[in-house]
Amino acid sequence: MARGNKQHRNPKSDIEIAQAATMRPISEIATEGLDIPAEAVSQYGRYKAKISLDYIRSLPDRTAKLILVTAITPTPAGEGKTTTTVGLGDALNRLGKKAVICIREPSLGPVFGMKGGAAGGGYAQVVPMEDINLHFTGDFHAVAAANNLLAAMVDNHIYYGNEPRIDPRRVSWRRAIDMNDRALRSIVSSLGGVANGFPREDGFDIVPASEVMAIFCLSTDLQDLRRRLANIVVGQTRERKPVRAAELKAAGSMAALLKDAIAPNLVQTLENNPAFIHGGPFGNIAHGCNSVIATTAARKLADYVVTEAGFGADLGAEKFFDIKCRKTGLKPDAVVIVCTVRALKMHGGVARDALKEENLAALESGFANLARHLTNLRQFGVPAVVSVNRFSNDADRELDRLRELCDELGAEAIVGDHWARGGEGAVDLARAVVALAESGKAEFRFLYPDEMPLLDKVRTIAQRIYGARDIEADKSVKDRFVALEDQGFGQLPVCVAKTQYSFTTDPNVKGAPSDHVLTVREVHLSAGAEFVVPVCGEIMTMPGLSRAPAANNIEVTEDGRIAGLF
């Protein structure tokens, strides 16, 4: 696919660009780029490292500017949120700003499925790309191990009839694996006789949807991690009393599995600028942000921190604001919302195979999606700039019209060539971001107060962010909300699980639909992560592979190189 500046007629694939990169030893990135002493750097090979939590804790707080990168509602046409995050970070460093990017670790599910990796693209990537997209430093494996240790301890607790006695019919804790595997969504476990325990319905979530991942990313330090793990509710007794991981004496061993993983990972961009990549909850079924620890470390080490939130602004950005910022006291100074002409035309009704053709009418129609996101962001009091991730076949008239439409809404639109030119192609965007961040215009606020009833929090998000007329839920769901409030969880924020492809629960509805009804199908409590999850529509916490998954195209060559990985 031709991307970026038109002079790049024969672009290389992402992996070819990454494999040709000249990387610096990660020790130099840490010590020379961020002034981190060598004793605080634990290397994982030559180009990856973890940074000591004790060292991070010892650093004084700084008033680094915090920039959130989000996007329009995603389409198959592509938007480029991570690519923009990386390109912006490189561009800020080109302007002489000490900037660090903070992004999420990729899940193996999308890597081998259909979405792809999460290391950026073109000449705006983080490296070593293959390592980052595959096993990296083992954080995801540690999260899965901790999750499944607790699952094993739950079944063991039931097997021996330990107190408190867990009702096997009311076990809410599921197992986790970092792979798209629809066959594991719903299973029956413990078959094969008395020696194997009590047969019961069970299932797997993908690791990014695990509550352990959310806890991992929202914890402020190792002690906070252990506290949150202890608060996980795994099920209920026959008297409907919640049973926590602390009562199974599981928190200590879970924390032990996560002790090394909780330290943030340091890598570099193609331009040898520092990047923290740590944690990886999905934005559609979890809260979609990198770890608090990584963001905190970056803010102590840099003057500008550029981070991202998963999927469109209706999901990732809302959760960044209402969950991550609420729990940490973070206050963003500016937002970058990423779009492409192609994606907006798809929101305007153009089929994927016709996106190369100039179509101003479709662009204007699809602009409603970007306009909705811009309006939504203003409700949080954070100023926004639009980053247009350019494709080589974008018509000049389309780009000019997009700028005009944004200007009519009071938002500046900057066309970027960072995919093709790296940081150089995002310098104009960086200048706009600096001006916005240093303008003092940000007056950050939450969408809803803590004391609002849980059901009303969901309704507020549905009406003010999704454009819905109202929400609907059957009596059992409403009763569950009331029960959670009676148990003392009413002050928690909500983390909506919903399709990422639409403001509605129907992934086929593009643009900016209004007057629809959001159906809440069920409600989950994440007591350790400290949020409540309303599951809306047909969204799944365990994705499946497509008919022709990306795994079909990945190979290892005779000389040991990975091929076909994007």
Side-chain angles (χ1 to χ4, degrees), residues 161-199:
N162 293 338
E163 294 292 339
R165 289 183 176 269
I166 300 173
D167 186 343
R169 302 168 302 172
R170 296 192 172 94
V171 174
S172 54
W173 192 251
R174 290 162 58 89
R175 288 165 163 80
I177 184 173
D178 193 34
M179 195 58 62
N180 290 0
D181 194 343
R182 63 174 58 83
L184 296 178
R185 286 174 182 161
S186 298
I187 66 171
V188 177
S189 63
S190 306
L191 299 177
V194 176
N196 294 337
F198 296 88

Side-chain angles (χ1 to χ4, degrees), residues 270-288:
L270 287 176
E271 298 185 12
N272 308 124
N273 292 312
F276 282 111
I277 303 183
H278 197 218
F282 286 162
N284 57 345
I285 49 181
H287 73 287

